[in-house]
Amino acid sequence: MDTTATEGDGNSPLPLLIWLSPGFPVGAFAYSHGLEWAVEAGDIVDARSLEAWLADLMEFGALRSDAVLFSAAFRSAAAADWPALIEANALAVALSPSAERRLETTAQGRAFVAAARAAWDCEPLRRLDHAPDGRTAYPIAVAAAASGHGLPLGASLEAFALAQAANLVSAALRLGPIGQTDGQKILAALLASIRALARAAYGASLADLGGAAFRSDIAAMRHESQYSRLFRS
């Protein structure tokens, strides 16, 4: 029996809950986006400093860039503009500021495409599976799946941004500066920022890309030579 999901699922956002859950096999638990070094360096020591760090990432850093890339890829896939989709993916990979950040996005992107094609196949994912260099950035992969299954862009952006924030909070929990209750308080406090990010990214183009979260980029670079570590980034 063919259990592969068909394209066009009534626009239900339920697939997003599956694709962005900790149980979806992309290995998100293995990456901290440089948080591990930030904790060791003393940049993140408690809930307040972690919340400020994540808020900055949404306004100035990679979380904002990923949302813009997600939006552009989603619209390209919806228009069946495959060269534009491939171009957005190549740019997303190229914008990684360090080797570990590139690994973080491409390893998860590759894993997402493989898992999604097995159970949620659609034409945009098939196009990404044949990208010229064989590398797929994570936000592009999720956007392709969401667009290919007719999900709404706004809800997809919010879900993707929330999942990224939640994964970083989970990493911080394992690193020790916050507890579980603090983690939930941080996510609740960030919901307004997540909604604002989704609204801003909704109509954004690749020309709107840009960032200034230098400390986060430095953290990712320093993590590459960190002596004792739990995470791959």
Side-chain angles (χ1 to χ4, degrees):
M1 181 175 66
D2 183 7
T3 58
T4 301
T6 60
E7 298 182 43
D9 53 9
N11 296 325
S12 169
L14 286 178
L16 292 169
L17 302 181
I18 299 173
W19 301 338
L20 299 172
S21 75
F24 202 72
V26 299
F29 61 86
Y31 303 97
S32 82
H33 202 75
L35 282 184
E36 187 165 19
W37 184 86
V39 170
E40 180 170 301
D43 289 358
I44 295 174
V45 296
D46 55 16
R48 178 177 296 181
S49 53
L50 175 62
E51 182 181 333
W53 185 279
L54 296 180
D56 283 347
L57 287 181
M58 288 184 188
E59 188 169 0
F60 307 111
L63 299 190
R64 177 187 180 277
S65 296
D66 281 356
V68 173
L69 289 161
F70 185 108
S71 183
F74 185 103
R75 292 194 303 271
S76 296
D81 188 345
W82 310 127
L85 177 65
I86 297 302
E87 178 185 359
N89 179 62
L91 180 59
V93 174
L95 287 176
S96 302
S98 67
E100 285 190 353
R101 286 276 187 85
R102 187 184 306 112
L103 172 67
E104 182 179 289
T105 193
T106 57
Q108 291 184 83
R110 181 174 61 250
F112 184 92
V113 170
R117 284 211 60 195
W120 304 87
D121 204 9
C122 60
E123 184 61 23
L125 286 174
R126 289 191 285 271
R127 297 285 178 160
L128 284 179
D129 208 20
H130 296 92
D133 60 0
R135 296 185 296 188
T136 302
Y138 183 52
I140 307 301
V142 182
S147 183
H149 285 279
L151 304 185
L153 175 55
S156 300
L157 279 166
E158 287 188 354
F160 181 72
L162 175 60
Q164 287 191 303
N167 189 63
L168 295 182
V169 167
S170 175
L173 281 169
R174 283 170 281 161
L175 290 167
I178 64 167
Q180 291 182 339
T181 300
D182 280 336
Q184 292 306 306
K185 289 180 178 179
I186 290 169
L187 289 174
L190 289 174
L191 287 183
S193 296
I194 289 170
R195 294 189 185 103
L197 174 60
R199 285 195 300 270
Y202 188 92
S205 69
L206 296 179
D208 296 305
L209 284 168
F214 299 119
R215 189 66 174 173
S216 174
D217 294 340
I218 290 171
M221 296 172 191
R222 293 287 179 85
H223 186 267
E224 294 176 3
S225 58
Q226 189 169 334
Y227 175 71
S228 177
R229 57 186 189 171
L230 297 174
F231 296 92
R232 300 183 73 187
S233 70

